[in-house]
Amino acid sequence: MKVLVANLGSTSFKYRLFDLGDPAEPVLARGAIDRIGSPASRVVFKTDRGESETSREVADHGDAVQICLDQLVDPEAGVLSDPSEVSAIGFKAVHARNLTGVHLVDEAVLQAMEAFNDVAPAHNPPYVKAMRGLRERFPSLPLVAAYETGFHRTIPEASQRYAIPDEWATRLGVRRWGFHGASHRYISWRIAELLGRKDLKVISCHLGGSSSLTAIRDGASVGCSLGMSPQSGLPHNNRVGDFDVFSLPVLLRETGQSLEQILDTLAERSGLQGICGKNDVRDVEAAATAGDVSAQLALDVFVASIRHYLGAYLLELGGADAIVFTGGIGENSSLIRSKTLADLGWFGIELDPALNAAGPAERRISAEGSRVQVWTVPTNEELVVARQSQELLKSGRSAMA
Ligand code: ADP
C-alpha cells in the first residue's frame, strides 16, 4: 500500500510518499510547495530518479495535491504509473473535541476539529480548510487524520484530569490531552529496537519549535507535559507553556487588551521569544554566549522546565532505562542536553561529553557506566502516520484507537 503523508501549513504543503508494501517502507518521493495562494509558489519534488524546483501559481491546497499527483506519475522523475496507486492521504492532525485516535475524515470529524479551532489556533484552522477542499476535489481519495493526542490515551485518568468540575472534563473535553503523539510513539518503537527489548521505562524529550516530555512504560504513554492545548507544558519557541490562568484578570485589567489579544500574545509572542526576543534556540544560544542576559534567562527557564518534568517522570516511572532526545533542539543542541542532565549522577544518569558533543544523528550519548542510557534519535512522525493510515484502511473501519 502506498500512502501520501501530508504536513500542512496555512500556505504550505509538504509530503512524503511511503511504500508500505515493501518491508523497508521506503519513501518513494517527497516534495514541498510553499507560498500557496501567491502567484509564484515554489514547488520542490524529489525521487531517486531526479529532483526539480520550479515556480508557478498554486491557488490552494487542492491545486497543491493535484501538482503532487501529476509529479508522482511524471514519466521521467515520477514513481507511479497511475495516481490511483495512492491509497490515502494521511495527516498528523492535532486536536478535535472529544475525538482522538485515527479517523477517516468526514464532516463530523471536521466539525469536531473546528470546535477546537481556538484551542489549537496555529494548527486546526489550516487543516480543516485544506481537508474540506481536498474532500470536494478528490472525493474518492480517503483522507486519514491521525491525532497527536491518540498515543496519550493510556495516561491514567488521575494524570489526565485537571482539578475542575467533573462536567467540564467529561462533557466539554477539558483535560490533559497530550500532543506530539506521533513523535513520542516513534521514539518508543525505535528505542525498543535499539535496546533490543520492549519492557522499557523511557522518557522521550521532543524539543523543537514546540517541546514536550513524555513518560513511556512498556511502549504506552503514562504522562505528557502538554495538556489541554499545544500551548502548555514546557515553554515553546513562541508559545507560553504552563501558565497560571489567574494571571488573566490582571493582564486584562492592566493592559486594556481583549482576551483574544492576550491569548494571541501567549500563543505567538511568548515562550523563548517572549523572554528574550529570539525564538530559534541557535540564536538564543549565540546571544547568551555573547553575554545577552535575557537570552541566558530564556535558556535557563527552558532547562528548568525540562528538568521539572524529567524529575516528575523519573518518579512516575520509578526510574528509567532510557532518556531520548529528539526534535530540532533535542537532536542538535549539546548545550541544552548537558544543562538538562547536569549533576544527575545520583539518579544513574551520566552523559559522555565527547559523545554528547558530536556523532551520528542516532547515537548513545551516555557514559559507559551510566545506569540510564541517554540517546539522540531523529524522530519519524511521517512513518507513524503512514503506518496508522494503512492499519485503518486495512481494518475496513472508519476509526480506530
Ligand atoms: P518543529 O517543532 O517546528 O517541527 P523542529 O523539531 O525542526 O521544529 O525544531 C526546530 C527548532 O530546533 C528551531 O527553532 C531551533 O530552535 C532548533 N534547532 C535546530 N538546529 C539547532 C541547533 N543546531 N542547535 C540548537 N537548536 C537548534
Side-chain angles (χ1 to χ4, degrees):
M1 184 181 289
K2 298 187 178 81
V3 176
L4 192 74
V5 177
N7 182 342
L8 301 180
S10 51
T11 62
S12 68
F13 170 72
K14 293 186 200 138
Y15 64 88
R16 290 185 199 180
L17 179 69
F18 286 87
D19 182 0
L20 299 176
D22 180 329
E25 299 174 318
V27 174
L28 299 179
R30 63 182 70 209
I33 299 178
D34 61 16
R35 293 197 285 271
I36 292 174
S38 83
S41 298
R42 195 172 57 107
V43 180
V44 177
F45 180 63
K46 283 186 198 164
T47 70
D48 282 349
R49 302 176 62 200
E51 59 181 86
S52 63
E53 183 173 331
T54 51
S55 177
R56 56 192 285 185
E57 185 170 358
V58 182
D60 55 24
H61 285 87
D63 269 1
V65 170
Q66 188 61 58
I67 290 168
C68 158
L69 294 175
D70 292 345
Q71 287 178 319
L72 292 174
V73 297
D74 180 77
E76 273 166 30
V79 289
L80 303 178
S81 45
D82 192 279
S84 65
E85 286 177 62
V86 176
S87 300
I89 305 184
F91 297 88
K92 183 165 66 81
V94 173
H95 211 358
R97 185 169 67 195
N98 287 344
L99 184 150
T100 182
V102 188
H103 290 257
L104 277 179
V105 175
D106 59 16
E107 188 50 35
V109 168
L110 290 170
Q111 285 180 14
M113 288 178 75
E114 265 169 343
F116 271 2
N117 268 356
D118 45 6
V119 187
H123 304 97
N124 274 21
Y127 269 78
V128 170
K129 182 163 181 267
M131 284 169 164
R132 270 229 167 80
L134 294 178
R135 284 190 75 222
E136 274 173 27
R137 184 144 171 187
F138 306 98
S140 57
L141 180 57
L143 307 181
V144 177
Y147 286 94
E148 289 281 64
T149 50
F151 183 57
H152 300 296
R153 300 287 52 82
T154 46
I155 294 176
E157 182 68 5
S159 298
Q160 288 195 39
R161 279 292 185 107
Y162 294 111
I164 53 174
D166 185 69
E167 199 213 354
W168 292 2
T170 51
R171 191 170 71 79
L172 303 182
V174 177
R175 58 172 57 239
R176 291 193 176 93
W177 286 94
F179 298 88
H180 285 158
S183 177
H184 293 303
R185 192 190 292 270
Y186 177 80
I187 294 302
S188 77
W189 291 345
R190 186 63 192 146
I191 197 67
E193 284 170 3
L194 291 167
L195 301 191
R197 40 185 274 241
K198 290 188 169 166
D199 58 329
L200 289 171
K201 297 187 257 189
V202 178
I203 301 174
S204 171
C205 309
H206 179 114
L207 310 177
S210 59
S211 299
S212 66
L213 263 65
T214 286
I216 302 167
R217 183 184 287 117
D218 302 337
S221 172
V222 293
C224 179
S225 59
L226 288 160
M228 169 69 182
S229 82
Q231 281 77 248
S232 53
L234 307 174
H236 309 278
N237 61 1
N238 64 346
R239 287 181 257 153
V240 60
D242 286 340
F243 183 71
D244 188 330
V245 293
F246 278 86
S247 313
L248 286 175
V250 176
L251 293 171
L252 289 164
R253 189 174 64 238
E254 299 296 329
T255 66
Q257 293 184 1
S258 66
L259 179 62
E260 286 67 30
Q261 287 172 315
I262 301 280
L263 293 179
D264 187 57
T265 300
L266 292 170
E268 297 280 344
R269 288 176 297 285
S270 294
L272 301 177
Q273 186 176 327
I275 298 173
C276 73
K278 297 177 175 58
N279 73 23
D280 187 307
V281 163
R282 285 164 289 202
D283 299 335
V284 184
E285 286 184 4
T289 305
D292 181 328
V293 175
S294 65
Q296 185 60 55
L297 178 64
L299 291 180
D300 292 346
V301 169
F302 187 50
V303 168
S305 184
I306 304 171
R307 285 172 68 96
H308 170 88
Y309 281 102
L310 187 65
Y313 293 156
L314 282 168
L315 202 69
E316 171 73 35
L317 293 169
D321 297 296
I323 296 170
V324 183
F325 287 92
T326 193
I329 302 168
E331 289 164 40
N332 296 304
S333 176
S334 55
L335 180 75
I336 294 290
R337 294 192 302 258
S338 64
K339 279 174 166 285
T340 296
L341 300 185
D343 303 323
L344 296 182
W346 190 85
F347 295 89
I349 302 168
E350 202 188 330
L351 281 182
D352 178 313
L355 292 174
N356 183 43
E362 185 177 87
R363 66 187 187 280
R364 179 176 59 78
I365 57 172
S366 46
E368 199 61 55
S370 177
R371 195 162 69 243
V372 181
Q373 290 204 20
V374 185
W375 284 74
T376 60
V377 175
T379 195
N380 192 343
E381 296 162 287
E382 292 81 6
L383 178 62
V384 172
V385 173
R387 286 183 184 171
Q388 289 180 308
S389 302
Q390 169 174 261
E391 199 183 335
L392 180 67
L393 290 184
K394 282 194 166 166
S395 76
R397 291 181 292 146
S398 61
M400 65 179 200

